[in-house]
Amino acid sequence: MAFYGGPVPTEVRTTDYHTAGEPFRIVLDGVPHIPGATVRERREAAAATEDVDRVRRMLCHEPRGHADMYGCFLVPPDDDGAALGVLFWHKDGYSTACGHGTIALGAWAVESGRVEAPADGVVDVRMDVPSGRVVARVRVVDGVVQDVGFRNVPARVVARRIRAGDVEVDVAWGGALYAFVPAARLGLRVVPDDLPALIAAGRAIKAALDGTEVSRHPEDDRLSGIYGTVVHEDAGGPLDQRNVAIFADGEVDRSPTGSATSARTALLADDGVLADGQVWRNASIVGTRFEARVLGQAADGVLTEVTGTAFRTGEHRFLLDPRDPLGTGFVLR
């Protein structure tokens, strides 16, 4: 079949959501086969397979995406204990975890009919992601998804007040490794006007910790690396905060960041300001909110739940004409 008299283009279908303002593009069709026996193996294969990674670049890069785009490929789960497997991606590659994406996927799984849910009640959508098995607890009222609780792999404190360049930071795990620093320590606020300086500080802290002992996962080096820097401040007290995550190569999360909120929950529990079951609120740089709590203890950390909302923003049919000199696109920032 000809396309404007030329070769057949690449075609990719997606459903797009946003979770607390952060985009999430779910790829439904158009991705070549990704080999591997587990989700972690498929993550490595996706990054190493040009035909697969071309789809990521096409959907992330301008003109079809932007520097802060986020999404996923759906893959088989590791076993029949999960409803789906997920490879999370952004403009710089493939992440180990994504809380806002898990929340969006929970809403999508119920709203699309992929997972059967009661008209009134709660259903758990289990997913295998590179960091492990996570759960999206979807609450439905009158047939409509109300919110989704992201139940993460165990979160834990990795290090306290270590040097990262000119500042001291905490490091914690929430499916990915994050460095945490109070905004006041940087002379900044978590506000849009300070965003260029926040991005610069986040990049510098991540670079200072790359390759150090705290950036290494103790069990699987495929999960190593500081994924992002989280700058935080009180918005009304220790249980009412605001933060921004600068992740990958200077990308900015518009949501409060699910996996980082999980890791921050472990830090607050370790500080003694958050008891099991007690709820704290985390706002983003654009004012959207997640609520989080400790569910209990595990051998390798604390069990957390981060609750938020996700809404569908569109259904897309993306094309890549092989004659297009821009190819999979570009990143201006």
Side-chain angles (χ1 to χ4, degrees):
M1 177 179 178
F3 179 73
Y4 298 129
V8 178
T10 297
E11 179 177 321
V12 179
R13 290 192 308 111
T14 73
T15 293
D16 281 26
Y17 276 72
H18 85 82
T19 304
E22 177 72 358
F24 194 70
R25 182 163 284 167
I26 304 167
V27 182
L28 305 177
D29 188 42
V31 183
H33 173 69
I34 304 173
T38 65
V39 169
R40 284 186 195 175
E41 289 181 5
R42 290 187 179 93
R43 176 178 178 244
E44 291 182 286
T49 305
E50 170 58 24
D51 286 349
V52 174
D53 199 54
R54 182 177 74 157
V55 178
R56 177 192 64 82
R57 298 194 306 271
M58 168 186 168
L59 297 177
C60 274
H61 293 179
E62 297 182 54
R64 299 168 190 84
H66 51 80
D68 300 293
M69 193 67 212
Y70 218 110
C72 78
F73 297 144
L74 300 174
V75 296
D78 291 353
D79 58 51
D80 59 9
L84 57 143
V86 186
L87 300 181
F88 299 115
W89 45 252
H90 46 74
K91 76 171 177 62
D92 299 306
Y94 299 83
S95 56
T96 59
C98 179
H100 93 271
T102 302
I103 290 171
L105 283 162
W108 166 79
V110 170
E111 291 172 347
S112 68
R114 173 119 181 199
V115 172
E116 187 176 351
D120 290 280
V122 174
V123 62
D124 287 346
V125 181
R126 291 176 174 82
M127 309 174 204
D128 286 329
V129 307
S131 60
R133 180 160 293 173
V134 299
V135 178
R137 172 155 276 207
V138 185
R139 185 170 66 92
V140 182
V141 177
D142 292 332
V144 177
V145 173
Q146 301 299 303
D147 52 43
V148 181
F150 158 52
R151 297 191 166 190
N152 200 7
V153 298
R156 65 181 182 274
V157 176
V158 175
R160 287 288 199 174
R161 296 189 71 91
I162 61 166
R163 298 297 300 181
D166 295 332
V167 296
E168 289 186 334
V169 303
D170 297 325
V171 176
W173 165 264
L177 287 166
Y178 291 93
F180 292 84
V181 60
R185 201 173 289 171
L186 301 170
L188 299 172
R189 294 289 313 282
V190 181
V191 294
D193 285 350
D194 282 359
L195 189 56
L198 289 164
I199 293 172
R203 279 175 158 162
I205 289 169
K206 177 180 175 178
L209 295 177
D210 274 347
T212 66
E213 187 62 30
V214 296
S215 72
R216 298 188 181 95
H217 190 277
E219 298 171 0
D220 192 332
D221 198 51
R222 292 174 293 183
L223 304 179
S224 292
I226 300 294
Y227 181 52
T229 301
V230 179
V231 184
H232 58 88
E233 63 186 10
D234 285 356
L239 300 184
D240 189 359
Q241 300 192 2
R242 178 169 48 245
N243 78 184
V244 63
I246 311 301
F247 68 94
D249 184 19
E251 295 184 49
V252 180
D253 198 327
R254 274 72 173 158
S255 83
T257 309
S259 51
T261 298
S262 176
R264 181 81 178 130
T265 302
L267 287 165
L268 291 173
D270 188 62
D271 286 336
V273 301
L274 185 68
D276 285 10
Q278 190 174 12
V279 172
W280 74 283
R281 289 159 295 281
N282 198 19
S284 73
I285 196 167
V286 300
T288 55
R289 287 181 176 270
F290 287 159
E291 291 188 345
R293 61 188 175 124
V294 174
L295 298 175
Q297 307 295 316
D300 51 350
V302 297
L303 302 175
T304 65
E305 181 179 71
V306 178
T307 301
T309 56
F311 299 94
R312 186 170 50 173
T313 59
E315 306 284 335
H316 300 287
R317 177 173 169 259
F318 290 101
L319 300 176
L320 175 56
D321 190 327
R323 303 170 304 154
D324 186 345
L326 288 179
T328 57
F330 58 92
V331 178
L332 190 59
R333 191 192 76 215

